[in-house]
Amino acid sequence: MTETTIKSDIIKPENLVYKKTDLMTDKVLSYCPGCGHGTTHRIVMEVIEEMGLMEDTIGIAPVGCSVLAYEFMNVDMQQAAHGRAPALATAVKRLMPHKTVFTYQGDGDLAAIGTAETIHAANRGENITIIFINNGIYGMTGGQMAPTTLPGMKSSTSPYGRDLDMMGHPLKITELVAQLPGTHFVTRQAVHTPANVRKTKKAIRKAFELQQQKVGMTFIEVVSNCNSGWKMTPVQANQWMVENMFPFYPLGDIKVDGEILKNN
Amino acid sequence: MAKVKGDIVVDIERCKGCEVCIDTCPTQTIAMVDAVNGKGYHYMQNVNDACTGCTNCAIVCPDGVITVYRVKV
Amino acid sequence: MEKELRLMKGNEAFGEAAIRAGTDGYFGYPITPQSEVMEYLMAEKPHERTGMVVLQAESEVASINMLYGGASCGKKVMTSSSSPGISLMQEGISYMAGAELPCVILNVVRGGPGLGTIQPSQSDYFQSTKGGGHGDYRLITIAPSSVQEMYDSVKLGFDLAFKYRNPVLVLSDGAIGQMMEKVEIDKQVPRHTEEEIRDKYPWATLGRYKGRERNIITSLDLDPARQERHNEALQRKYSEIEKNEVRFEKINCDDAEYIFVAYGTSARICQKSMQLARKKGIKVGILRPITLFPFPYAQVEEMAEQVKGILSVEMSAGQMVEDILLAVKGKTRVEHYGRMGGIIPSPAEVVTALEQKFMKG
């Protein structure tokens, strides 16, 4: 009885310290259990809420698992054709330079079919923010090999592991984008632990702040998991990500204030 | 030293039982329960009153199902 | 007030019309024979004249998707290209039709298939009027046959595009794009302000202003029942367009025993052919569709009841002739005459074709 009293004493509006932002809709996320998309969606929306940008933000959803991002992100959204989100964002930002414009794209969308749009929007220095989720696989279509699939990694179209001679190399598009003069802030983060979530959120906030200064493209890769595609439990998938994805896609800032950091 | 006490409210029906939150709890306050929700997922719940309201579980929850409260005692 | 007249290329006239119509953004990629549109726009500095954005994209694929982004914000956006580039745009056009986004797309047609030729052709009729990309959709298709009409097609195009929330295709060709004629220039229409767009187009994604519900622009609905209802609504819209927006011109049809049905450059050739035929005592008239979707089926059918034959003249293997056959319902004879690969027929050879197809044997 005492415990219950204590609990109800704590659960009061004035004691609230964390609650899902209202800029996430109440719709149940379509993502698999443990998927980093949900976390990333939420922190993008938290930043928009905290910066008071709701009235001036336009988000662009991709094709892939996050095709329905507009169902969950409670801001004005456009749904782009596969890979074309940076082209949409370019036009939105050029036509309304005072708006905050972001794309939210997966690795198949951004680094395969949309490579041209990604590279050229970056190279033109479009003042947009790209949130890039890299889980090394095509999740929505059932776990096929992606441009980011690791060497030897199994997928439904590389069932014996990615054979580099036959299938080519994984593409580190974030490092590539960082080389372009049009990008100002390029970073690679993750959302599997509270500390990483906090860091990623900080990076997103920085990107949106820089966008208002019109200094060029800001680009945030989030290395994420795909437990369904990788055929693991969510906790195992996060562990596998730490052991296998992070060595190939190391976390941290790649380009800050328009300068590529030395270790990159 | 001021002590803090926390508590969480879990939106059980939205929890997908991914267990990503479990290891982030510094006080082992949360655990999966044997029961299942309407979708058939085991869900997480607080199982003791050691919560400090640190928000780790809520921050890492992909589905945003956890609301956190905290008081100084 | 005195009219402002200029001597301009069709492509340049289109560019000037874009600025004058209060267009917000042009996004394009160079391709012959339409590159003068973007060249003209860049030279004119429309960002100084009206604040209009002109951007050279990395591809036609990007251009059309820039239109998708801009149109989603209720902006007046346009692009121009020629046949191979328009083929590349089909994905984006289908998405825009599905998401019901207004825009104006100019196709200065060249001969195909493939890289084909840079010379004029009319072989993109099917692509323009029957959809072009995937899914059940139609584009409002306007076919100018003079530089003036190319100029006018911008304003008409935007009016129709926003009235029906549908992409509009201006189907010109290399001859009209490249030739110079006198053009009457409109007064400058101011660009819409953001407030005007909010009022006129409440669906536009300009940000969740004053806490309204969010706006979403998408062509996706995974629920088949809802997707079917969306498709049915699109079809009702296309029926409305067919009912309200048919545009055509009839020349010397009252006493005609034969008519040419032709649009664009072919319609201009047919004017001379008609004169040549009438000198020979053959009573020929012209029915010129100005809109190809909606096609003037009723007007063609009406003529079919009067004439001995209809010659479809089109610089193609015979695409529009299928719509004429649908319109005529067997009431008169229908033949096609066309040249392909960038050849423009001479007026005399059209008359010869008329004689051979209808009056021999």
Side-chain angles (χ1 to χ4, degrees), chain A residues 54-183:
Chain A
M54 178 190 81
E55 291 192 355
D56 282 318
T57 296
I58 293 113
I60 320 273
V63 170
C65 285
S66 48
V67 66
L68 290 172
Y70 60 79
E71 296 270 359
F72 314 121
M73 295 180 174
N74 206 352
V75 294
D76 274 11
M77 295 286 292
Q78 304 177 5
Q79 197 283 310
H82 200 17
R84 316 299 176 216
L88 273 67
T90 293
V92 174
K93 189 71 179 184
R94 294 266 180 154
L95 292 163
M96 301 185 295
H98 56 291
K99 304 284 182 187
T100 298
V101 183
F102 72 91
T103 72
Y104 186 100
Q105 303 174 257
D107 43 315
D109 189 89
L110 181 140
I113 197 165
T115 310
E117 285 77 9
T118 304
I119 297 284
H120 284 279
N123 201 44
R124 284 191 304 263
E126 301 295 345
N127 288 305
I128 59 172
T129 298
I130 289 183
I131 313 282
F132 164 43
I133 308 294
N134 174 11
N135 57 13
I137 207 161
Y138 284 85
M140 187 178 70
T141 44
Q144 292 82 10
M145 185 179 71
T148 46
T149 298
L150 298 176
M153 184 174 166
K154 286 182 182 173
S155 74
S156 68
T157 51
S158 57
Y160 308 107
R162 181 175 193 148
D163 176 342
L164 296 185
D165 289 338
M166 186 172 140
M167 298 157 180
H169 295 264
L171 180 60
K172 293 185 180 183
I173 197 155
T174 304
E175 277 81 352
L176 212 153
V177 155
Q179 296 294 326
L180 305 174
T183 52

Side-chain angles (χ1 to χ4, degrees), chain A residues 21-86:
Chain A
T21 165
D22 290 338
L23 288 189
M24 285 295 285
T25 65
D26 287 331
K27 206 162 173 130
V28 174
L29 294 168
S30 51
Y31 305 112
C32 303
C35 175
H37 270 307
T39 316
T40 313
H41 279 25
R42 183 162 42 80
I43 54 177
V44 172
M45 289 300 111
E46 283 175 4
V47 170
I48 289 169
E49 185 183 41
E50 287 161 18
M51 291 177 71
L53 297 173
M54 178 190 81
E55 291 192 355
D56 282 318
T57 296
I58 293 113
I60 320 273
V63 170
C65 285
S66 48
V67 66
L68 290 172
Y70 60 79
E71 296 270 359
F72 314 121
M73 295 180 174
N74 206 352
V75 294
D76 274 11
M77 295 286 292
Q78 304 177 5
Q79 197 283 310
H82 200 17
R84 316 299 176 216

Side-chain angles (χ1 to χ4, degrees), chain C residues 26 28-32 34-35 38-39 56-57 60 63 80-82:
Chain C
Y26 170 95
Y29 185 81
I31 183 172
T32 308
Q34 66 76 49
S35 297
M38 187 162 42
E39 287 170 356
Q56 180 168 335
E60 289 89 348
S63 308
S80 61
S81 188
S82 180

